[in-house]
Amino acid sequence: MRLTSALLFLGMTFTAHAEVKLTENDILGVWQIDSESTSSDGTHAKKLNSTWNFLKDGTMEGITIDSDVNARSPEMRASITYSVENGKLIKQTMPGRSKFETCTAVEKNDQKMTLECTNVYYFMTKK
């Protein structure tokens, strides 16, 4: 009985973190970044006021608004290139740099998506 329970638990654990294959149509449009976390369950998540707009031409426009009155700039904009390959998002890490990172969707439905990128999970809502 214990072995069956342990195997069932392991199966549920792997299923919970199953990879979702993305297509370009899945990500096109504006996504609100609700929070980011270093853990998949969102523990110690940091709230963000950012949007990512994935355009059909392979560019993603990011906008972050900083509500801190002492911030140097209340708004930061950046445009980077991206592609979807083998069901994963491949995006530049910074504008003008040749370094790219691979992001995997660990959860996706019509309006919500969780992306696992290098050392961070992004919890997103489609606008």
Side-chain angles (χ1 to χ4, degrees), residues 19-124:
E19 177 181 313
V20 177
K21 298 288 184 188
L22 293 174
T23 66
E24 186 174 16
N25 286 335
D26 288 332
I27 64 168
L28 285 175
V30 179
W31 289 88
Q32 173 71 43
I33 311 301
D34 300 319
S35 62
E36 68 177 31
S37 176
T38 56
S39 62
S40 63
D41 64 358
T43 306
H44 306 294
K46 177 182 172 185
K47 293 283 187 194
L48 296 179
N49 192 6
S50 299
T51 57
W52 290 355
N53 185 9
F54 292 94
L55 304 172
K56 199 158 189 68
D57 67 359
T59 58
M60 192 250 322
E61 297 174 341
I63 301 171
T64 299
I65 298 175
D66 194 337
S67 59
D68 183 354
V69 293
N70 297 317
R72 286 185 180 171
S73 174
E75 181 179 284
M76 186 174 92
R77 292 177 174 265
S79 183
I80 62 172
T81 61
Y82 80 91
S83 64
V84 177
E85 300 173 19
N86 299 318
K88 298 180 183 204
L89 173 67
I90 312 295
K91 68 178 191 65
Q92 269 182 307
T93 56
M94 296 181 79
R97 300 261 173 106
S98 59
K99 185 175 180 184
F100 284 77
E101 70 178 338
T102 300
C103 300
T104 304
V106 293
E107 184 179 326
K108 168 82 173 81
N109 63 38
D110 290 341
Q111 299 300 313
K112 295 278 188 184
M113 178 167 59
T114 302
L115 281 181
E116 178 185 7
C117 298
T118 308
N119 302 319
V120 68
Y121 289 84
Y122 294 100
F123 300 88
M124 311 163 77

